[in-house]
Amino acid sequence: MAGRAATSSAKWAKEFLFRRVSSNPLGATRNCSSVPGASSAPKVPHFSKKGRILTGATIGLAIAGGAYVSTADEATFCGWLFNATKVVNPFFALLDAEFAHKLAVSAAARGWVPREKRPDPAILGLEVWGRKFSNPIGLAAGFDKNAEATEGLLGMGFGFVEVGSVTPVPQEGNPKPRIFRLSQEGAIINRCGFNSEGIVVVAKRLGAQHGKRMLAETSGTSSSPSDDVKPGGKSGPGILGVNLGKNKTSEDAAADYVQGVHNLSQYADYLVINVSSPNTAGLRMLQGRKQLKDLVKKVQAARDEMQWGDEGPPPLLVKIAPDLSRGELEDIAAVALALHLDGLIISNTTVSRPDPVSNNPVATEAGGLSGKPLFPLSTNMLRDMYTLTRGKIPLIGCGGVSSGEDAYKKIRAGATLVQLYTGFAYGGPALIPQIKEELVKCLERDGFKSIHEAIGADHR
């Protein structure tokens, strides 16, 4: 096994070098000559200083890993790989925010990320909607918008990954630049506006991944652990959620979401209606009591009219904004209970600029704020919604999670599951095992034997 891992490291380094030189993703090339007619001469790749540093650090880690693995068992080497990403991750901060994001997605899609081989502690396992989660820590929508890297992301140890938002028709989203870091505050402002490759492309990718898994299971070549460790998600280990959005120019929002259900639900372990992005004009109006009720009814009907096997249709959730009034929260809770909605995600990004973000010059940029400053606002709303729904509806806590203690606070406030995004963007792959380890310590510290026991503990 050690020999195979070392060979894999060398092969990975060779492939990375080849792709780095041939594709030159930083987009910087210079001609060898300025003589007229010399345009056909070979172009020599020009690596920026930042690019050379990033490449050198990555290749160095690959070579070091190949040497280290020869004396380490699989679990030890797995831990080393995750810790090693702490060295590479800071270099992403030197890159343009959106380019760094694309690079991270591309790395995950190609398997250039560590893969978690260690089973999750039993205390983190739970069952929701009849689906087994090996742990409650998930990746929120917005990172893998077009389902390019689900296998790599789930392989890093997330209990679930949510792709999207996916719109029916491809759209570019808002003009760039549209992602802004507030590094000191651990926050990001984005106004992407549902940039999406569209339902057809995403359905094709998810269909291919689904077929690959089915083939592996049929042939008995699946390398996944036992059922106690690997829940039965449709995209392999872990659970896959699909977040649905509407096109910017669409006049019939319900039709957009219905189209998403018809084309993508067969590949999803759960579906999400996103009515809370602040970057699509008029979208948040769909959170009104009548509008939301009408929308959910139509989407539920579209889902239920399809043919489903023994596992039944995928659960349907709604993702809401953190900027709602108490009255608006009460209306949403009433709709969720009346229509037997399967869950709510609390919350999306905020248009507010709470301290200390308000003092940062970047705070004047339009868009939704995510990250650490969102934690108090989103967690308080989570707590309120748990009370309003009387704990009858599974809630996913999202907003400002960057540690196991943060995840634990969300769970105690009423979250069944927890998502992160901005924390992952800053912390990198190493944050995933760190959060799970810290969460286990929190549970054991307070005498809980399972995640289920801790859900809503602050209300008891």
Side-chain angles (χ1 to χ4, degrees), residues 26-85:
L26 293 181
T29 58
R30 291 181 180 175
N31 242 342
C32 296
S33 172
S34 60
V35 178
S39 58
S40 60
K43 294 185 177 181
V44 180
H46 170 71
F47 300 149
S48 69
K49 183 176 180 181
K50 295 176 183 177
R52 291 196 301 270
I53 292 174
L54 179 59
T55 301
T58 307
I59 300 305
L61 284 172
I63 295 172
Y68 177 77
V69 72
S70 63
T71 58
D73 59 67
E74 187 176 64
T76 303
F77 180 59
C78 183
W80 180 89
L81 279 178
F82 276 94
N83 285 327
T85 63

Side-chain angles (χ1 to χ4, degrees), residues 4 13 22 59 108 182 239 305 331 337 384-385 408 412 425 429:
R4 288 199 303 270
S22 62
I59 300 305
L182 297 87
I239 301 296
E305 71 185 11
D331 286 344
L337 290 170
D384 290 343
M385 186 57 77
Y408 182 58
R412 289 187 63 103

Side-chain angles (χ1 to χ4, degrees), residues 2-12 66 69:
R4 288 199 303 270
T7 302
S8 178
S9 296
K11 183 178 179 181
W12 177 89
V69 72

Side-chain angles (χ1 to χ4, degrees), residues 262-457:
H262 284 161
N263 287 274
L264 300 174
S265 58
Q266 61 266 43
Y267 309 120
D269 291 304
Y270 70 89
L271 293 168
V272 181
I273 303 174
N274 188 350
V275 291
S276 52
S277 169
N279 302 313
T280 297
L283 185 70
R284 288 191 167 188
M285 294 176 62
L286 296 174
Q287 295 175 114
R289 185 166 188 155
K290 183 181 184 305
Q291 295 92 328
L292 184 62
K293 186 176 182 179
D294 291 343
L295 175 62
V296 171
K297 279 185 174 181
K298 291 178 181 178
V299 176
Q300 284 178 329
R303 178 198 61 177
D304 295 342
E305 71 185 11
M306 298 175 68
Q307 297 295 320
W308 299 104
D310 294 337
E311 78 281 1
L316 182 66
L317 291 74
V318 171
K319 187 168 186 175
I320 64 175
D323 307 307
L324 300 168
S325 67
R326 176 72 180 192
E328 290 170 324
L329 283 180
E330 291 174 352
D331 286 344
I332 291 173
V335 170
L337 290 170
L339 298 183
H340 304 288
L341 198 63
D342 297 299
L344 293 167
I345 300 181
I346 305 168
S347 67
N348 213 315
T349 58
T350 179
V351 294
S352 67
R353 299 292 183 263
D355 291 333
V357 170
S358 58
N359 299 320
N360 192 312
V362 181
T364 59
E365 293 288 349
L369 173 74
S370 62
K372 291 182 179 180
L374 178 59
F375 184 83
L377 179 62
S378 60
T379 306
N380 287 336
M381 175 176 284
L382 172 67
R383 187 175 289 108
D384 290 343
M385 186 57 77
Y386 184 85
T387 299
L388 291 170
T389 56
R390 304 187 292 279
K392 294 183 176 181
I393 297 176
L395 306 177
I396 299 181
C398 182
V401 176
S402 58
S403 70
E405 186 71 37
D406 291 339
Y408 182 58
K409 288 178 179 178
K410 294 277 190 187
I411 291 168
R412 289 187 63 103
T416 300
L417 302 167
V418 177
Q419 287 180 325
L420 59 150
Y421 178 176
T422 302
F424 178 60
Y426 280 113
L431 186 63
I432 307 168
Q434 176 186 320
I435 285 181
K436 291 190 287 187
E437 182 180 347
E438 292 171 355
L439 179 55
V440 169
K441 291 179 180 178
C442 289
L443 292 166
E444 293 176 341
R445 178 192 67 204
D446 292 349
F448 294 114
K449 297 180 180 179
S450 69
I451 291 291
H452 276 300
E453 288 185 6
I455 296 171

